[in-house]
Amino acid sequence: MTESRVPRPSGPFRPGDRVQLTGPKGRLHTVTLREDGELHTHQGVLRHRDLIGLPDGSVVANSSGHDYLALRPLLRDFAMSMPRGAAIVYPKDAAQIVMQADIFPGATVVEAGVGSGALSLSLLRAVGPVGSLISFERREDFADVARGNVETFFGEHPDTWRVVVGDLVESLPNEVPAGTVDRVVLDMLAPWECMDAVADALTPGGVVLCYVATATQLSRVAEYIRGTGLFTEPDASETMVRGWHVEGLAVRPDHRMVAHTGFLLTARRLAPGAVAPSVKRRASKSSYGDEDVEAWTPGAVGDREISDKNLRKRAREAEKAAEGARLAAASRDSGHATE
């Protein structure tokens, strides 16, 4: 995807555009615009053609006179509403990953696994038109959902993105030369299994970031990284977001907040042969033993399965949305050609 063809999220609505509609009582509906499309609710019908040609931020009424605010979804809105094959990385964590892993324009970034593509969207934006993102995913069906979601958001398959279906440990050495990757982001059940391959791929000073759900995973991957002697001392954190109700003098925290979703752990690759200065810590028991390893089943660490039927449905939804986005991109290109 060349820089000149990156669709700007602005201008009048066109067929194929994704639009977020906010109706009465703040309820949200996300639709892909079609010439003959309609949004049916118990409060009436809103015709898509009433939106086509209007700018962002327009308000239109449905057949019953109820007003709807129409806006293109922001990246965070899109990520939360897109079809999901696997659980997504939430926007609050995606933002921290981009910052803590220091994803920069022009970077070569490796991601595993791709899941539903939510994090891929943030990484692709961050590497820019001259960077590169290589996403590894073991399951072809998950990769299909991710491709559909990414193409829906960008309007086409980005030239800066490559999806590899396969195991990271086996595939990574064949995809990138050793010592050439700037950043590695691991969103998987057992990231320690990939750490040796990651160390070979990373350039000296490069960053590895692991996104894990449980404290047990966090402990194990931290101890493994320390044991390799190839990285700096790992740094761990989590992000919690608390909204606020602000209305006149009624200013208070919201009753609900987005608390724990996952831990972020980062470390940097040492130069070949370098030995990091020792970190003095209190003596403690080993973090885990053989009996703990045997208990590490997918269910024990919170890995939830999705049925094949449900996954096929999500893949169809993602592909349908991607077709609409490609239609919108073609409409933009033809419009530019006639100007």
Side-chain angles (χ1 to χ4, degrees):
M1 183 171 61
T2 60
E3 186 174 9
S4 61
R5 293 186 62 192
V6 175
R8 292 181 59 82
S10 59
F13 294 129
R14 295 180 174 87
D17 280 346
R18 296 275 286 184
V19 176
Q20 183 173 272
L21 301 169
T22 306
K25 298 182 180 179
R27 186 172 181 180
L28 298 177
H29 303 271
T30 302
V31 301
T32 300
L33 293 182
R34 306 190 313 273
E35 290 284 358
D36 58 348
E38 294 179 338
L39 172 66
H40 290 258
T41 70
H42 67 282
Q43 293 177 320
V45 179
L46 189 150
R47 298 175 301 177
H48 290 194
R49 64 172 176 267
D50 292 339
L51 289 167
I52 294 173
L54 296 180
D56 257 326
S58 296
V59 176
V60 295
N62 69 0
S63 60
S64 300
H66 294 285
D67 288 336
Y68 283 78
L69 171 64
L71 288 164
R72 285 186 174 86
L74 301 177
L75 176 54
R76 66 180 185 185
D77 302 320
F78 179 84
M80 296 300 293
S81 65
M82 69 187 193
R84 302 182 189 181
I88 67 167
V89 175
Y90 279 79
K92 72 180 182 70
D93 292 321
Q96 286 293 316
I97 288 170
V98 169
M99 178 58 68
Q100 292 193 27
D102 190 44
I103 311 297
F104 59 90
T108 298
V109 179
V110 166
E111 171 198 21
V114 69
S116 299
L119 180 59
S120 304
L121 293 170
S122 294
L123 297 176
L124 284 166
R125 270 193 168 181
V127 301
V130 294
S132 175
L133 174 64
I134 309 169
S135 300
F136 290 82
E137 174 55 57
R138 289 180 174 178
R139 297 183 55 169
E140 180 71 51
D141 44 11
F142 282 2
D144 287 341
V145 174
R147 290 189 190 100
N149 287 330
V150 170
E151 290 182 23
T152 298
F153 188 78
F154 287 110
E156 61 183 351
H157 186 98
D159 294 338
T160 54
W161 189 42
R162 183 153 47 97
V163 180
V164 178
V165 178
D167 183 82
L168 179 71
V169 174
E170 298 175 357
S171 304
L172 185 58
N174 300 323
E175 297 295 332
V176 296
T180 62
V181 175
D182 297 302
R183 307 291 185 255
V184 175
V185 179
L186 302 178
D187 174 16
M188 56 176 57
L189 196 63
W192 52 87
E193 296 178 350
C194 305
M195 208 52 62
D196 294 332
V198 167
D200 290 339
L202 275 173
T203 186
V207 178
V208 59
L209 183 146
C210 301
Y211 179 69
V212 294
T214 70
T216 312
Q217 289 171 292
L218 178 67
S219 174
R220 186 168 180 185
V221 70
E223 292 303 323
Y224 192 95
I225 287 175
R226 291 189 180 106
T228 66
L230 301 174
F231 295 90
T232 60
E233 175 68 11
D235 180 71
S237 65
E238 66 176 332
T239 304
M240 300 183 183
V241 175
R242 182 173 72 172
W244 278 73
H245 172 86
V246 181
E247 188 173 344
L249 296 179
V251 180
R252 56 168 174 75
D254 285 342
H255 297 303
R256 300 179 63 185
M257 67 177 291
V258 183
H260 175 77
T261 48
F263 297 103
L264 303 183
L265 182 141
T266 59
R268 300 189 67 179
R269 181 67 163 95
L270 296 173
V275 178
S278 60
V279 178
K280 294 183 179 180
R281 290 189 297 268
R282 293 181 179 179
S284 62
K285 291 184 178 181
S286 175
S287 300
Y288 57 92
D290 293 340
E291 66 279 5
D292 299 308
V293 174
E294 293 178 1
W296 275 71
T297 62
V301 295
D303 187 33
R304 294 181 293 179
E305 293 292 330
I306 182 172
S307 69
D308 291 340
K309 180 180 179 180
N310 201 354
L311 187 54
R312 288 193 295 270
K313 178 182 177 182
R314 305 293 173 80
R316 289 194 299 270
E317 292 174 353
E319 176 55 27
K320 184 177 180 180
E323 289 178 2
R326 289 191 287 269
L327 173 63
S331 176
R332 279 190 292 267
D333 290 343
S334 61
H336 293 159
T338 57
E339 290 177 358

